[in-house]
Amino acid sequence: MAATIRDVAQASGVHVSTVSRTFSAPHLVNPETRNRVLAIAEDLGYRPNRAARALTTGRTHNLGLIVADIANPFFPPLIKAAQAHARLRDYHVFVADTDEDPQVEEELIQTLTKQVDGVLLCSPRLSNRAIEKLSEDVPFVVVNRRLRGMSTVLMDVGHGARLAIEHLTALGHRRIALLAGPAGSWTSREMSDAARAADGIELTVIGPNSPTEHGGIAAAEAVLAADVTAVLAYNDLMAIGLVEGLDERGVEVPGRISVVGVDDIVPGRLTRPKLTTVAMPTEAAGRTAVDLLLQLVGAGETATPALATLATHLIIRDSTGPVPS
Amino acid sequence: MAATIRDVAQASGVHVSTVSRTFSAPHLVNPETRNRVLAIAEDLGYRPNRAARALTTGRTHNLGLIVADIANPFFPPLIKAAQAHARLRDYHVFVADTDEDPQVEEELIQTLTKQVDGVLLCSPRLSNRAIEKLSEDVPFVVVNRRLRGMSTVLMDVGHGARLAIEHLTALGHRRIALLAGPAGSWTSREMSDAARAADGIELTVIGPNSPTEHGGIAAAEAVLAADVTAVLAYNDLMAIGLVEGLDERGVEVPGRISVVGVDDIVPGRLTRPKLTTVAMPTEAAGRTAVDLLLQLVGAGETATPALATLATHLIIRDSTGPVPS
């Protein structure tokens, strides 16, 4: 059992409140007493209350990681990679989930910034302006959103979307639908920019949609009404839901409609047909984001923001096939 | 933008350090000054550093939630239910992942207990004794472990295991394997106690195993060597992995071997065959755990520990069938 504040007080011959004050407001403690208490605390291996220590050293050795939806299998590999990478550097990572709600996101940022040395914000739904304001108090790294003047980690989903559309056009598809993601999503905008710029296709954009299996199921009617032969979905969860929704209506994938997702989450390998998808480098993104954040934490106010763009690639499985004749 | 400490200092006519001290060590500030600073801080809507406020009020309004593996789809519904339930009560929940590692679990508990008003510990891998020691500083609720003298939320997996075995014996199975989970798991012990007590079956216990898809794949050989016709796996991830491992060896599920999982995670509904499983009440567990924890937080030292046991049930899908003749 670790030494308590009482052990330190007794060994130092001072009152418990003096030990407490030595860590929480050291300038208020007589230097001689302060030095004695600190030396004894170290000898006994006393772990000061980290909140109190944070007030003294300005470091909590904790990082906050905010994600849009912890239940989306996209995030856990990113979270776990960030945690493992931070742990090697003596940092703990605390995760909070915004439930895709910008207001909750704002609350969580306000709370976390007071308690950690830096914040990783993944797939934000807040506006750029709101994020800039909220990030003034503590080093910030944003994942999946381009924000000038802030350190950002991007996964190059525009490139992935182009690869997906090339794959579909090579299979003869011309009438393609894009199932867009949530309104505030940078990833969704990148995908739609890439799709709109593609040559020789007739594009229908459907959305915004909830980035979930339910969002995909709900979009099945709109996909059928759009009279397309292929769909690129904002993420794998929506793609899986869309395949379900089409299956319920007796529409075969890929026989009548080809479907491509984005993310390469594990469930996409379990469904039948197995999902063709744009693989996102989630683990590398988690590690890179921690590296950039700890650079900012170390550099203090002199830090310059960095931009890391990570490559994506296409994984062709069984949910895409030739255009029906 | 919220008021800063500088705004409060200026409006109160004191130095910034006095404002800081008013929140971090109020007993050291002249009462008249203190009252003026606090009144002005309230007028300006100044949000004191929560770490500092925690030192003063003893409340952070944050809860910690520690899980064994955030990438296991079992945990996110529990986490999200706990977060939503806590938010209604003005509490934030910060999540940390132990990566199934007892040492990391111990570190995270030590760190979190200093920063939050209470801790929810889900599916611990530490010993009971270690948990009891670590939980001395802050209210604790344990999920999926029976611990006398502590508030606990149990999902009645023993009952679920009995239902699963009754289902298998009704289908004619007599030689049944139990794929055990990790060594420190209460759930795994409950399941094996229930299976050993079952009448009229010949039980082979295989394990401990890693509670992951890979753990299930790796166990396929041992299952075949055990010459059984049915398997009850510690969780759905292992069951999904086992089905994959058997499929690679040309062994049909449920044609030659029936497989039952535990948890009812989403991927179990996407695999072919769809997984028969014991459904665990994860969302109810998350909410109940928050309720018990906030009772403890509110009651302080007078709190009495509570035990909640939540029911499980069997969902029969396509991975179980009659014993092969």
Side-chain angles (χ1 to χ4, degrees):
Chain A
M1 189 61 190
T4 67
I5 195 167
R6 279 171 213 84
D7 301 331
V8 177
Q10 199 165 21
S12 316
V14 300
H15 195 266
V16 163
S17 65
T18 306
V19 179
S20 167
R21 209 178 308 146
T22 301
F23 289 96
S24 66
H27 52 294
L28 301 173
V29 179
N30 170 304
E32 204 180 301
T33 309
R34 182 172 67 210
N35 292 340
R36 189 169 74 245
V37 170
L38 290 172
I40 286 170
E42 196 177 328
D43 282 352
L44 295 181
Y46 168 64
R47 223 177 261 273
N49 180 311
R50 284 173 74 114
R53 198 180 65 179
L55 287 173
T56 319
T57 66
R59 290 278 175 89
T60 61
H61 275 254
N62 296 327
L63 304 177
L65 173 54
I66 298 177
V67 299
D69 180 8
I70 219 169
N72 181 344
F74 171 76
F75 288 107
L78 188 155
I79 294 168
K80 288 181 85 83
Q83 285 189 317
H85 202 64
R87 197 177 295 131
L88 294 174
R89 287 148 188 80
D90 193 26
Y91 274 80
H92 289 295
V93 174
F94 298 130
V95 182
D97 171 325
T98 70
D99 219 14
E100 299 276 354
D101 181 333
Q103 198 183 323
V104 174
E105 187 176 323
E106 184 167 1
E107 265 178 55
L108 285 171
I109 293 173
Q110 286 175 334
T111 303
L112 266 172
T113 52
K114 308 291 185 181
Q115 299 205 300
V116 297
D117 296 344
V119 171
L120 300 171
L121 182 62
C122 299
S123 306
R125 303 292 177 237
L126 284 170
S127 69
N128 284 0
R129 185 176 298 266
I131 294 169
E132 281 160 12
K133 289 224 164 197
L134 288 164
S135 65
E136 283 172 2
D137 295 336
V138 79
F140 241 72
V141 171
V142 179
V143 179
N144 276 351
R145 170 79 63 94
R146 181 90 191 241
L147 262 163
R148 284 176 209 289
M150 288 185 70
S151 281
T152 48
V153 177
L154 301 177
M155 303 184 224
D156 192 358
V157 71
H159 178 66
R162 282 188 291 277
L163 293 177
I165 289 170
E166 280 167 22
H167 167 62
L168 292 171
T169 54
L171 289 166
H173 297 278
R174 293 293 173 270
R175 296 195 316 280
I176 298 176
L178 177 76
L179 279 196
S185 161
W186 173 87
T187 298
S188 187
R189 212 164 44 243
E190 284 289 295
M191 287 176 65
S192 93
D193 288 352
R196 282 180 216 279
D199 286 327
I201 67 165
E202 198 180 309
L203 184 76
T204 307
V205 178
I206 299 171
N209 298 287
S210 163
T212 59
E213 216 183 315
H214 293 293
I217 294 173
E221 274 307 323
V223 165
L224 290 176
D227 191 28
V228 295
T229 62
V231 180
L232 172 58
Y234 167 75
N235 68 9
D236 285 352
L237 284 183
M238 283 179 59
I240 289 169
L242 176 63
V243 172
E244 270 185 67
L246 293 174
D247 185 58
E248 282 167 12
R249 289 166 179 78
V251 177
E252 283 196 358
V253 175
R256 222 177 100 197
I257 296 184
S258 286
V259 175
V260 184
V262 171
D263 286 349
D264 189 27
I265 60 175
V266 172
R269 286 179 259 146
L270 301 174
T271 47
R272 295 293 175 272
K274 294 183 185 183
L275 201 60
T276 295
T277 189
V278 174
M280 298 280 261
T282 45
E283 297 186 359
R287 287 189 293 269
T288 305
V290 166
D291 283 339
L292 295 186
L293 187 57
L294 291 182
Q295 279 169 25
L296 294 179
V297 169
E301 307 234 325
T302 66
T304 32
L307 168 67
T309 303
L310 307 176
T312 57
H313 65 279
L314 185 69
I315 298 176
I316 299 172
R317 297 201 187 99
D318 309 331
S319 65
T320 47
V323 67
S325 47
Chain B
M1 188 64 188
T4 68
I5 194 168
R6 279 171 213 85
D7 301 331
V8 177
Q10 200 166 20
S12 315
V14 299
H15 195 267
V16 164
S17 64
T18 306
V19 179
S20 167
R21 209 178 308 146
T22 301
F23 288 96
S24 66
H27 51 295
L28 302 172
V29 179
N30 169 305
E32 203 180 304
T33 308
R34 182 172 69 210
N35 292 339
R36 190 169 72 244
V37 169
L38 289 172
I40 286 169
E42 197 177 330
D43 282 353
L44 296 180
Y46 169 64
R47 222 178 262 273
N49 181 313
R50 283 173 74 113
R53 200 181 63 180
L55 288 172
T56 319
T57 65
R59 290 279 175 89
T60 61
H61 275 255
N62 296 326
L63 304 177
L65 172 56
I66 298 177
V67 299
D69 180 8
I70 218 169
N72 181 344
F74 171 75
F75 289 107
L78 188 155
I79 293 169
K80 287 182 85 82
Q83 285 188 317
H85 203 64
R87 198 176 296 133
L88 295 175
R89 286 147 189 81
D90 194 27
Y91 274 80
H92 289 295
V93 174
F94 298 131
V95 182
D97 171 325
T98 69
D99 220 16
E100 299 276 353
D101 182 333
Q103 197 183 324
V104 174
E105 186 176 324
E106 184 167 2
E107 265 178 55
L108 284 171
I109 294 173
Q110 285 175 334
T111 302
L112 266 173
T113 51
K114 308 290 185 182
Q115 298 205 300
V116 297
D117 296 345
V119 171
L120 301 172
L121 181 61
C122 299
S123 305
R125 303 294 177 235
L126 285 168
S127 70
N128 285 359
R129 185 177 297 267
I131 294 169
E132 280 160 10
K133 289 223 165 201
L134 288 164
S135 65
E136 283 172 1
D137 295 336
V138 79
F140 241 71
V141 171
V142 179
V143 179
N144 276 351
R145 169 80 63 94
R146 180 90 191 239
L147 262 161
R148 283 177 211 287
M150 289 184 69
S151 280
T152 48
V153 177
L154 302 177
M155 302 184 226
D156 192 357
V157 71
H159 177 67
R162 282 187 292 278
L163 294 176
I165 289 169
E166 279 168 22
H167 167 61
L168 293 172
T169 53
L171 289 165
H173 297 278
R174 293 293 173 269
R175 298 195 312 281
I176 298 176
L178 176 77
L179 280 195
S185 161
W186 174 86
T187 298
S188 188
R189 210 165 45 244
E190 285 288 297
M191 286 175 66
S192 95
D193 288 353
R196 282 179 215 280
D199 284 328
I201 68 166
E202 198 179 309
L203 184 77
T204 308
V205 178
I206 299 172
N209 298 287
S210 162
T212 60
E213 215 182 316
H214 294 293
I217 294 174
E221 274 307 324
V223 165
L224 290 175
D227 191 28
V228 295
T229 63
V231 180
L232 171 60
Y234 167 74
N235 68 10
D236 285 350
L237 285 182
M238 283 179 60
I240 289 169
L242 175 64
V243 173
E244 269 184 67
L246 293 174
D247 186 59
E248 283 167 11
R249 288 164 180 80
V251 177
E252 284 196 359
V253 175
R256 224 177 99 198
I257 296 184
S258 287
V259 175
V260 184
V262 172
D263 285 351
D264 189 26
I265 60 175
V266 173
R269 285 178 260 148
L270 301 174
T271 48
R272 296 291 176 274
K274 294 183 185 183
L275 200 61
T276 295
T277 189
V278 175
M280 297 279 261
T282 46
E283 298 187 357
R287 287 189 293 268
T288 306
V290 166
D291 282 339
L292 295 186
L293 187 56
L294 291 182
Q295 280 169 24
L296 294 179
V297 169
E301 309 234 323
T302 64
T304 31
L307 167 68
T309 303
L310 306 176
T312 57
H313 64 280
L314 184 70
I315 298 177
I316 299 172
R317 297 202 188 98
D318 309 331
S319 65
T320 46
V323 68
S325 47

